[in-house]
Amino acid sequence: MSRPTKEESIYRVSIHKNGGYMYAATHPYTVDENGNRKYVYCHWGVVDENKKFIPGKRYIFASLEERERLIFPDDWDMSEAKRLSGAKQPGRPAYTDADKNRFYGDIWLLEQVADKTGLRSDLKQVFENNEEVVNSILTLAYFS
């Protein structure tokens, strides 16, 4: 009989080496109808030889709640993750300072239309209140 699995162990991030690359991965499982566990690797990004974590698409597009559940080793450099996928304040475009509301002319008009027609709220529902994804989609729509 195997020892019981800790609840937080599926959120513990470790290095998965594959094809000469080192991935930051979790190792969750599903239980089939026979009660057998099936393990898979979820890659959250890449880790370099200095243990610097560089987030991938899965990490960047994950909700903030899901990111906070991940347990990274203490000796990893997480500076890129904070820089690339932190919770940003509203406003586009962003510069090196904190984001500021710099809407001018047509951008301001499009932002008002998105709010009044409910486009922003619909996108929030579709993408589970992930503001970063919603803002990215609206930016692509504005600057196609």
Side-chain angles (χ1 to χ4, degrees):
M1 182 162 165
S2 63
R3 87 181 146 203
T5 305
K6 294 180 182 177
E7 283 294 320
E8 72 270 1
S9 67
I10 60 173
Y11 301 113
R12 190 168 303 283
V13 179
S14 61
I15 293 177
H16 175 227
K17 292 183 180 181
N18 188 10
Y21 295 98
M22 295 191 310
Y23 297 101
T26 53
H27 201 70
Y29 63 86
T30 56
V31 179
D32 64 8
E33 63 276 352
N34 298 330
N36 298 327
R37 291 182 184 177
K38 180 176 170 137
Y39 288 91
V40 294
Y41 281 105
C42 292
H43 293 165
W44 296 95
V46 179
V47 180
D48 67 6
E49 61 277 351
N50 298 325
K51 295 187 178 177
K52 183 174 186 176
F53 172 67
I54 299 154
K57 286 182 185 177
R58 182 184 294 256
Y59 185 84
I60 290 172
F61 291 123
S63 65
L64 290 175
E65 295 84 22
E66 189 173 7
R67 287 186 217 160
E68 289 173 357
R69 278 188 256 155
L70 296 174
I71 304 167
F72 287 92
D74 293 332
D75 60 339
W76 285 17
D77 179 7
M78 299 297 292
S79 60
E80 275 305 297
K82 291 175 184 159
R83 186 179 72 80
L84 291 175
S85 61
K88 297 172 181 63
Q89 299 298 320
R92 288 179 291 279
Y95 297 98
T96 56
D97 297 335
D99 292 346
K100 294 180 177 70
N101 189 348
R102 298 175 193 254
F103 296 135
Y104 300 108
D106 52 349
I107 304 303
W108 178 85
L109 175 65
L110 291 172
E111 196 67 33
Q112 298 303 313
V113 169
D115 287 338
K116 298 292 184 203
T117 60
L119 178 62
R120 180 179 289 282
S121 61
D122 290 345
L123 286 172
K124 281 184 184 178
Q125 286 179 353
V126 169
F127 294 103
E128 301 170 357
N129 286 332
N130 192 335
E131 287 282 337
E132 292 179 49
V133 173
V134 171
N135 286 337
S136 296
I137 289 172
L138 288 175
T139 300
L140 287 173
Y142 298 160
F143 300 107
S144 61

